[in-house]
Amino acid sequence: MSPNAYILGFYDLATEVFMSRIQCRNARNSDLVDLFNSVFTASEGADEGATIAQFVDRMLERTDAHDLRIFASWDRSDLVGAALFSRLTYSEDSRSVMILSPMAVSTPRQGEGIGQSLIRHALEDLAREGVDVVLTYGDPNFYGKLGFASLSMTQARAPMPLSYPDGWIGQSISQAPFEPLKGACVCVPALNDPALW
């Protein structure tokens, strides 16, 4: 770990892992890339594993710290889960919006509640920071357990055409109810790739 890195977090008694927010992008980047490569290779095949690993590497190397939040789960010194949140900007909306993409839990540790606990921790932390809305593009059944609901393009435009529109989901994490996001959506450059959508 970089000497300039520090981690905020807590020990989750239910999953018996340490949940943290990494405060320095260079803190164990290779561990993060390796985790995503391994998990997506196991579930989707080697090509998808490589695609997601390259995406994570670009996200870590090229995204401004103001626009990126990294949350991780550790079992002692082993990285067992990670979630990256990056900024989305809506041209006619002043709310702070982040997108969860990607997220992974080590294949042998899936089903233990690590992913749900990690996302809950991240959403609480982001809400304290002043983020208003979090979106993601994933499995509505999994993310629905965490308060995410399906969104139409009139509620929140995606930055790219979606290959699986049912996977466009989100929620308000502020005290205000979810209201449609206004204007065109722009994502960080690393996510601005049609192959990811």
Side-chain angles (χ1 to χ4, degrees):
M1 178 138 348
S2 163
N4 297 325
Y6 61 96
I7 296 175
L8 301 175
F10 69 97
Y11 186 76
D12 183 349
L13 294 174
T15 60
E16 299 183 347
V17 297
F18 184 74
M19 301 290 170
S20 66
R21 175 173 167 179
I22 299 173
Q23 298 295 315
C24 174
R25 286 180 305 167
N26 294 326
R28 303 178 80 158
N29 280 4
S30 64
D31 288 353
L32 289 166
V33 172
D34 291 346
L35 172 70
F36 283 97
N37 185 38
S38 171
V39 169
F40 281 86
T41 295
S43 65
E44 307 289 332
D47 288 345
E48 185 70 6
T51 297
I52 299 301
Q54 290 167 2
F55 161 54
V56 169
D57 190 50
R58 283 192 314 271
M59 183 78 85
L60 297 172
E61 294 299 323
R62 299 180 187 163
T63 305
D64 184 83
H66 172 74
D67 295 329
L68 180 65
R69 303 295 180 272
I70 306 165
F71 295 88
S73 300
W74 306 87
D75 185 354
R76 296 175 190 83
S77 63
D78 296 330
L79 179 64
V80 295
L84 279 64
F85 291 78
S86 59
R87 190 159 314 280
L88 290 177
T89 304
Y90 282 83
S91 62
E92 299 171 27
D93 206 303
S94 63
R95 286 175 286 177
S96 175
V97 182
M98 301 289 277
I99 183 168
L100 164 58
S101 179
M103 132 140 235
V105 172
S106 175
T107 302
R109 300 299 300 269
Q110 291 177 7
E112 296 178 23
I114 293 169
Q116 289 185 21
S117 183
L118 179 61
I119 294 172
R120 280 190 193 98
H121 166 65
L123 295 176
E124 290 168 5
D125 193 77
L126 292 169
R128 281 192 298 273
E129 182 183 315
V131 172
D132 299 299
V133 175
V134 174
L135 306 176
T136 193
Y137 185 44
D139 180 3
N141 293 321
F142 173 77
Y143 291 105
K145 297 174 190 174
L146 297 158
F148 287 84
S150 294
L151 298 172
S152 68
M153 288 300 123
T154 58
Q155 293 173 298
R157 290 184 196 163
M160 295 268 174
L162 303 174
S163 59
Y164 177 63
D166 291 341
W168 189 234
I169 54 182
Q171 65 175 300
S172 170
I173 60 170
S174 70
Q175 298 297 329
F178 182 86
E179 295 289 334
L181 293 161
K182 299 176 185 98
C185 179
V186 176
C187 59
V188 297
L191 195 52
N192 196 28
D193 178 352
L196 299 170
W197 297 90

